[in-house]
Amino acid sequence: MPVYQAPLRDMQFVLHELLEVETTYQQFHDYKDMLSTEVINQYLEAAADFCENEIALLNQSGDQHGCRLHEGVVTTPHGFKAAHQKYAELGFPSLTADPEYGGQGMPTLLRIAISEMLCGSNWSWAMYQGLSHGAMRTLEHHGTPEQKQKFLSKLITGEWTGTMCLTESHAGSDLGLIRTKAEPNADGSYAISGEKIFISAGEHDLTENIVHIVLARLPDAPAGTKGISLFIVPKFNLDEAGNIADRNAVLCTSIEHKMGIHGNATCALHFDRAIGYLIGPPHRGLNCMFTFMNTARIGTAVQGLAASQIAFQGALAYAKDRLAMRGLTGAHYPEKNADPIIVHPAVRNMLMTQKAFAEGGRALVYFLAQHADIIEKSNDPAQIQHSDELLAFLTPIAKAFLTETGNESAKHGIQIFGGHGFIVEHGMEQIARDARISTLYEGTTEIQSIDLLARKVLKSKGKLLNNMLDLIDTFIAAHHADPALSLYIEKLIALKGEWLNLTQEVTTVAKQNPEEIGAASVDYLYYSGYVVFAYLWAKMAQVAHEKQQNTAQDTRFYAAKIKTANFFFDKLLTRTQSHAASIKSGASSVMALSEEDFAF
C-alpha cells in the first residue's frame, strides 16, 4: 500500500515563498511576531511525524475492519481512539481556537496545511477531527458565553468532538424541506425530535461526548429555508457544573455500509425530544450553519487535494520499481531485464497530471485559507470585503474542481498499477473508493456549479468574477516583459478574454431561457477551475524562476516546479477548449427529450 510521506518541501514553498506568510501576517495584530517561518515549520514537522508514524499506519486496517454498531454504540477500528488521544495531547485540536477558551489562536492557513497531512495519511480518521473544527467555529461565531464555556472549551481540548446534522432522508441539499422539530421547554431549552442521516462521526468511542450542531424548526417557523433554526444537542447532557450527566435522547439507529471511508461512522441519528439549546437567532439557523458549511467545503477541497497527493505518491513509487518493456528510444536501464514503467510517456503523462493537480490544489486551498484569515483578522473594511468576495467566488470552484481532479488522480493511480491497482493489498483501490464521496457531500459538483454560475457570477453581475480577473490582470501587468514567463502570459490573456466572453454569452441566452444556466454550469465550473489553476501555476513558475536566479539551493526543486507548470499549460489547460465548446452548444440537446422519452 502507499507509504504516506508529508510533502513538506512543497508545503513550505506555498506557505513561505508563494504566499509569504511570515511577512504577510505581520499586518495582523493577533499574529504579529508569532508566525515566523521557524514556528510554522515546527508545527508542520510535528504534524508530519504524527501523520506518518501514527494514523497512516491505521489507514488500511481501518478500511478493512471498519466501524461496528451494537445497541446504539459505535466502536471505531483498533488504534483510532489511542491516536485521537495522542492528537489531543499534542494540542492540535486547539490550534486555531479562541485563546480565551484554551485555544492557541493560530491562523486557519496553518490548520488547513496540517489538515492536508491528516487527510492524505488517513482520510477516515481525519474526518472525526475536521467536523469538530466546524463545530468550534460555529460556537465561536454564534454561541453565547455560557454555551462557549460549556461546550467550546471541551471541543478545543479534544476531550469532545462535534458534528453537523443537516441531512434528512427526504432533504439533502434542499434544506428548506427538513422536518426535524424543536419545541420550547419551560427551562429555556428545546426538545429536538426527528431523524438525520449521513451524519459523519455521528457516534463513536473516541471521546466521552459528542456535540451535535442540528438544524430544526421551531413551532412558529415559516416554510422553507427562512424557518430553520440551529441547536446544540450533546450526546450526554451536562449538570450545572458542566460535567457529564445522563444520556441525552439521541440514538444511532444504524451506520451506513459504504463504498469507502469505512473507518468513519456515517450514522443515522434519531432525536426523541432530545435536549437542545438554540444557537444564534430563531429562524436564522441556516445563516449560522454556513459558518460551519463553508469551513466544511474548504475541508472537502483539502480532501480532493489529499487524494491527488497520496495517489501520486503511491503511483510514483510503483512506476519507479515496476519493470515492463523497453523505452521507445531503446533501453534506459540495460542492466535490468526491462525498463521501469516511469520511462514510458503514457505513464509519465498520468504521473504529471497527478503532480500538477496536487501542487495546484495545494496552492488554491492555501490561498483560500489565507483569505479566510484576512476576513477574520484584518481591520481594513475594503480588504475584508475583497477577501470575502474572493472566497465566495473560489470556494465552489475549489470544492468541486479539487474533488473531481482528486478522483481523476485516484483513477490514474490504479491505472499505473495495472491489475495490481485493482487488488486490495496495494491500497490504490482504497484511495479511489474513499475519494469518491468527496464530489457528493457538502454539495455535489453539480450544485457547486449552479452556485458558482447562477449566484456568484450572474447574480453579482460579474463583480465576483471580475475580482479574480483583476488578480490575473495584475500578474500580467507585472510580468508581461519577462521572456521566461511569456508562455504563461500569452495564455492567461487569451483565457481571460474567453472567460469574459463565455460569461456574457451565458448571461445573454439565460435571459431568454434560464435552463441555459443549468446546462452550462458544470462545464463553466471546470473551465473556471483550469483558469484559476493557470493563474496559480503561473505565479508558482514566476517564484521558481526568481529563486533559480537568486539562490544556489533547491535548484532541482525549482526546475521541477517550472517543468510541471509547463506541463499544466501544455497538456491540461487545453481541456478548457472542450468545456468552452460545450458551454457554447447551449441547452437544446440537453432538454430535447421529454420525461416520457427517457425509456429503455
Side-chain angles (χ1 to χ4, degrees):
M1 63 177 294
V3 178
Y4 180 75
Q5 183 175 352
L8 287 176
R9 180 62 188 93
D10 199 63
M11 296 170 75
Q12 291 164 350
F13 170 79
V14 177
L15 291 168
H16 304 315
E17 299 172 69
L18 181 68
L19 300 180
E20 299 180 317
V21 170
E22 182 174 2
T23 302
T24 304
Y25 280 54
Q26 287 298 310
Q27 65 180 297
F28 307 129
H29 178 267
D30 288 353
Y31 301 137
K32 194 171 180 62
D33 300 325
M34 70 178 287
L35 268 187
S36 67
T37 298
E38 182 181 5
V39 167
I40 292 170
N41 287 346
Q42 286 173 349
Y43 273 99
L44 295 179
E45 288 162 8
D49 179 69
F50 174 76
C51 290
E52 292 171 358
N53 298 305
E54 298 288 341
I55 62 172
L57 306 182
L58 303 173
N59 187 39
Q60 192 169 45
S61 62
D63 176 66
Q64 292 171 347
H65 296 290
C67 295
R68 299 289 184 268
L69 173 67
H70 178 68
E71 295 182 352
V73 177
V74 169
T75 303
T76 55
H78 177 72
F80 272 41
K81 183 174 183 178
H84 174 82
Q85 290 172 340
K86 183 166 185 179
Y87 179 78
E89 289 168 4
L90 290 169
F92 287 120
S94 67
L95 187 67
T96 58
D98 188 342
E100 184 178 348
Y101 296 94
Q104 300 177 53
M106 298 299 279
T108 295
L109 176 54
L110 182 56
R111 180 181 68 78
I112 288 295
I114 291 173
S115 178
E116 182 203 332
M117 291 186 271
L118 297 174
C119 292
S121 54
N122 192 328
W123 186 327
S124 293
W125 186 91
M127 288 177 67
Y128 292 101
Q129 320 307 323
L131 290 161
S132 292
H133 283 292
M136 281 188 267
R137 284 184 59 81
T138 303
L139 281 162
E140 285 177 340
H141 283 262
H142 306 291
T144 65
E146 181 184 9
Q147 290 171 345
K148 291 178 183 180
Q149 195 61 53
K150 276 190 171 184
F151 300 106
L152 180 58
S153 57
K154 293 295 181 72
L155 289 169
I156 287 173
T157 61
E159 293 173 78
W160 300 349
T161 59
T163 73
M164 62 180 193
C165 299
L166 288 73
T167 306
E168 300 178 10
S169 60
H170 59 282
S173 297
D174 189 353
L175 294 173
L177 300 177
I178 69 166
R179 298 171 185 158
T180 300
K181 298 183 299 183
E183 298 176 315
N185 292 323
D187 62 358
S189 66
Y190 293 82
I192 311 297
S193 300
E195 305 280 347
K196 298 288 185 180
I197 66 167
F198 300 162
I199 309 305
S200 300
E203 164 62 21
H204 58 76
D205 59 354
L206 303 188
T207 58
E208 62 179 1
N209 207 0
I210 302 172
V211 180
H212 302 292
I213 306 295
V214 184
L215 288 180
R217 291 187 181 281
L218 292 167
D220 60 345
T225 56
K226 293 182 180 180
I228 300 175
S229 298
L230 191 62
F231 299 87
I232 302 165
V233 184
K235 174 180 173 180
F236 282 93
N237 293 313
L238 309 180
D239 62 22
E240 291 184 1
N243 299 315
I244 294 288
D246 59 315
R247 177 70 186 259
N248 205 355
V250 184
L251 179 67
C252 177
T253 56
S254 68
I255 54 175
E256 301 295 341
H257 301 280
K258 302 169 294 187
M259 178 179 178
I261 53 170
H262 294 152
N264 193 275
T266 304
C267 303
L269 296 181
H270 176 68
F271 298 82
D272 185 11
R273 296 189 61 80
I275 296 173
Y277 306 92
L278 181 67
I279 178 170
H283 315 316
R284 301 287 291 172
L286 203 55
N287 301 73
C288 297
M289 181 61 92
F290 268 110
T291 303
F292 201 147
M293 291 169 67
N294 286 332
T295 300
R297 284 170 181 165
I298 295 174
T300 307
V302 172
Q303 292 177 340
L305 152 62
S308 286
Q309 180 64 42
I310 187 60
F312 171 61
Q313 288 186 4
L316 178 62
Y318 186 81
K320 288 180 176 180
D321 184 64
R322 175 70 171 180
L323 303 180
M325 302 179 290
R326 292 296 185 186
L328 296 176
T329 58
H332 290 245
Y333 294 83
E335 75 281 6
K336 298 182 178 182
N337 293 331
D339 286 329
I341 62 173
I342 196 171
V343 308
H344 303 307
V347 172
R348 295 176 69 88
N349 185 69
M350 289 186 283
L351 289 169
M352 289 295 290
T353 298
Q354 292 173 314
K355 181 175 171 64
F357 284 155
E359 294 177 14
R362 182 171 298 116
L364 176 54
V365 166
Y366 290 14
F367 180 70
L368 281 177
Q370 187 175 62
H371 282 284
D373 286 327
I374 291 171
I375 294 167
E376 290 277 338
K377 299 300 182 180
S378 176
N379 292 318
D380 181 348
Q383 186 183 41
I384 293 171
Q385 181 180 350
H386 179 258
S387 290
D388 190 48
E389 290 176 350
L390 267 179
L391 204 59
F393 177 75
L394 290 173
T395 295
I397 295 173
K399 191 279 170 186
F401 189 71
L402 266 61
T403 57
E404 293 287 355
T405 54
N407 272 267
E408 181 179 339
S409 295
K411 182 201 76 169
H412 291 320
I414 293 175
Q415 195 74 10
I416 289 168
F417 270 71
H420 292 289
F422 204 64
I423 304 302
V424 169
E425 55 261 35
H426 292 287
M428 300 307 290
E429 56 83 39
Q430 182 189 341
I431 299 171
R433 287 188 290 104
D434 286 351
R436 188 62 187 87
I437 185 62
S438 65
T439 66
L440 306 178
Y441 58 20
E442 308 309 330
T444 63
T445 298
E446 292 70 25
I447 286 173
Q448 299 296 334
S449 300
I450 284 287
D451 178 49
L452 172 67
L453 183 54
R455 295 184 65 245
K456 304 301 171 56
V457 176
L458 300 184
K459 190 174 181 179
S460 75
K461 298 183 179 178
K463 184 179 188 301
L464 301 190
L465 170 62
N466 287 334
N467 289 337
M468 186 67 223
L469 296 177
D470 288 344
L471 293 180
I472 295 174
D473 274 339
T474 300
F475 180 84
I476 292 170
H479 303 290
H480 72 278
D482 187 342
L485 303 178
S486 59
L487 164 70
Y488 317 121
I489 298 296
E490 290 173 9
K491 290 194 175 179
L492 283 173
I493 291 171
L495 286 165
K496 178 201 162 190
E498 186 174 48
W499 205 0
L500 279 169
N501 289 337
L502 289 170
T503 304
Q504 185 56 53
E505 288 179 25
V506 173
T507 301
T508 300
V509 296
K511 290 177 181 177
Q512 303 299 320
N513 179 13
E515 300 284 14
E516 296 286 352
I517 299 172
S521 61
V522 174
D523 284 295
Y524 188 90
L525 185 141
Y526 270 106
Y527 184 97
S528 302
Y530 283 112
V531 179
V532 170
F533 261 41
Y535 164 72
L536 292 168
W537 267 114
K539 287 198 62 152
M540 288 191 283
Q542 172 256 318
V543 171
H545 275 294
E546 287 186 4
K547 295 293 182 179
Q548 275 188 325
Q549 294 169 0
N550 298 322
T551 181
Q553 298 179 338
D554 283 344
T555 54
R556 178 170 290 180
F557 173 85
Y558 295 124
K561 185 65 68 175
I562 294 166
K563 290 172 184 176
T564 308
N566 292 343
F567 171 83
F568 178 82
F569 272 79
D570 286 345
K571 293 293 186 181
L572 298 182
L573 197 53
T574 57
R575 297 181 182 186
T576 57
Q577 297 172 19
S578 64
H579 292 300
S582 182
I583 291 168
K584 292 178 181 179
S585 70
S588 58
S589 61
V590 175
M591 305 304 295
L593 289 182
S594 68
E595 293 181 20
E596 290 74 20
D597 289 335
F598 277 96
F600 54 89

